[in-house]
Amino acid sequence: MARSREAGLALISIEHVNKSYRLDGRAVDALRDVSLAIDEGVLLAIAGPSGSGKSTLLNLIGCIDSPDSGRIVIDGNDVTGRTPDQLAANRARTVGFIFQTFNLFPMLTARENVEYPLLQFPELSAAQRRDRVASFLRLVDLTRFARHRPNQLSGGQRQRVAIARALATKPRIVLADEPTANLDHDTGSEILGLMRAINAKYGTTFVFSTHDERVISAADRLVRIEDGRIRALAIRSGVKWRTVRPLASSDGPGRQDERQEGRQEGREEGREEGHAFEPTAPRRAALESSA
């Protein structure tokens, strides 16, 4: 049974996680002793070259895969060692996904694609699903394209449908795998601006995997990963990055230092104190009332 996350704890806690795969008969280490704490309301970019482990890390956060060892806690729930069915239930209500290839159903309209994950929620009536879908299509400015199929939409419009679909379940976390990879420069910048606006308005936590400098520039937290290991963790300070020690747990002295730095930056930039690290209940309430 899900339990409430205690105040001050990370939304996502990854502790000493290892993950390997078999490739051509040999074991390949995708992640090696990775520890990371991610708080609610951040825009976090996981950056690294191809094969660095960033997509594997995203899959573990999204409960698509399980670690070989270590511990993962998502929104107060220890998901380590869960069955595929249990992980699927956690994904459905806690995590939204935005894929670089959009992954829209070609025969469904934009409205039907956004509605699709809501069909897993028996507590929602058809009218409630319809109202929620309309709300999130309006949020991404696609109301007039609700009856269009993916092949009738531009790449940017398809990505907007994917964003609306990811948000429709009202997840705590949205994971985006290379969200600008299949978009031109202007459209990619537009999509990043939309996700930043959603983050700022509702406090939705976004975690990107990327090697695109535009995505990194849009983030306020940065994890550098290479050869399956976290090499650096950085916090945005104005237009610059301040490198801090990667965190092994949510309650160690390093994390306390990071919280203090985040609060100080909030005061310096005129932002809400603690916004980058503290839970954002008022923004969550706003999201819940929007649909």
Side-chain angles (χ1 to χ4, degrees):
M1 180 174 291
R3 64 178 180 83
S4 299
R5 184 167 53 92
E6 298 176 17
L9 292 183
L11 179 61
I12 303 165
S13 180
I14 301 164
E15 302 172 9
H16 304 292
V17 160
N18 293 277
K19 181 67 181 179
S20 63
Y21 297 99
R22 301 294 299 181
L23 181 63
D24 295 330
R26 64 186 182 90
V28 176
D29 293 326
L31 294 175
R32 309 178 188 184
D33 195 27
V34 168
S35 293
L36 181 66
I38 303 171
D39 284 293
E40 188 168 16
V42 303
L43 266 165
L44 173 73
I46 302 172
S50 297
S52 60
K54 59 184 185 296
S55 293
T56 299
L57 182 54
L58 210 68
N59 288 341
L60 293 181
I61 294 172
C63 300
I64 293 175
D65 208 346
S66 298
D68 297 333
S69 62
R71 183 170 180 256
I72 299 177
V73 179
I74 307 292
D75 195 21
N77 297 297
D78 189 338
V79 299
T80 313
R82 296 286 181 90
T83 67
D85 286 346
Q86 289 171 328
L87 291 177
N90 194 76
R91 284 197 305 272
R93 297 183 180 270
T94 306
V95 184
F97 295 88
I98 301 170
F99 302 95
Q100 73 177 78
T101 54
F102 316 131
N103 284 21
L104 302 178
F105 291 104
M107 298 307 296
L108 300 184
T109 64
R111 179 184 64 76
E112 290 165 340
N113 267 285
V114 175
E115 183 184 26
Y116 186 80
L118 300 179
L119 298 176
Q120 303 177 71
F121 292 12
E123 70 273 18
L124 292 179
S125 67
Q128 289 172 319
R129 292 198 307 269
R130 190 163 51 247
D131 289 346
R132 188 180 292 193
V133 169
S135 175
F136 284 103
L137 284 175
R138 186 164 56 249
L139 179 68
V140 299
D141 195 26
L142 282 181
T143 299
R144 64 188 181 280
F145 298 100
R147 296 182 180 276
H148 287 58
R149 290 189 171 88
N151 65 357
Q152 298 172 306
L153 300 172
S154 68
Q157 289 169 335
R158 279 178 276 173
Q159 191 67 294
R160 286 173 177 265
V161 174
I163 292 170
R165 179 182 60 187
L167 293 171
T169 59
K170 298 182 179 176
R172 307 296 293 272
I173 306 154
V174 172
L175 305 179
D177 185 16
E178 300 282 4
T180 60
N182 290 325
L183 303 175
D184 61 51
H185 183 276
D186 290 344
T187 303
S189 297
E190 180 183 291
I191 290 299
L192 289 172
L194 174 62
M195 288 190 280
R196 281 182 60 88
I198 291 168
N199 168 263
K201 184 173 183 179
Y202 300 117
T204 306
T205 302
F206 281 86
V207 181
F208 307 107
S209 70
T210 189
H211 58 266
D212 187 339
E213 288 298 327
R214 291 175 300 165
V215 179
I216 294 171
S217 296
D220 54 34
R221 297 293 178 270
L222 173 62
V223 171
R224 293 279 186 187
I225 189 168
E226 186 177 343
D227 296 329
R229 297 184 186 275
I230 292 179
R231 301 301 185 184
L233 173 64
I235 300 172
R236 180 175 296 284
S237 180
V239 297
K240 298 181 179 179
W241 290 103
R242 179 184 304 169
T243 301
V244 297
R245 181 168 59 87
L247 305 175
S249 68
S250 63
D251 57 358
R255 180 171 179 80
Q256 294 170 4
D257 293 343
E258 185 188 3
R259 282 185 179 276
Q260 184 58 40
E261 288 186 38
R263 293 191 183 99
Q264 181 62 33
E265 288 168 20
R267 287 191 288 270
E268 290 172 355
E269 299 174 19
R271 296 162 59 189
E272 176 184 351
E273 182 174 348
H275 158 75
F277 292 99
E278 302 298 334
T280 51
R283 294 183 183 82
R284 291 302 311 167
L287 180 58
E288 289 168 1
S289 66
S290 71

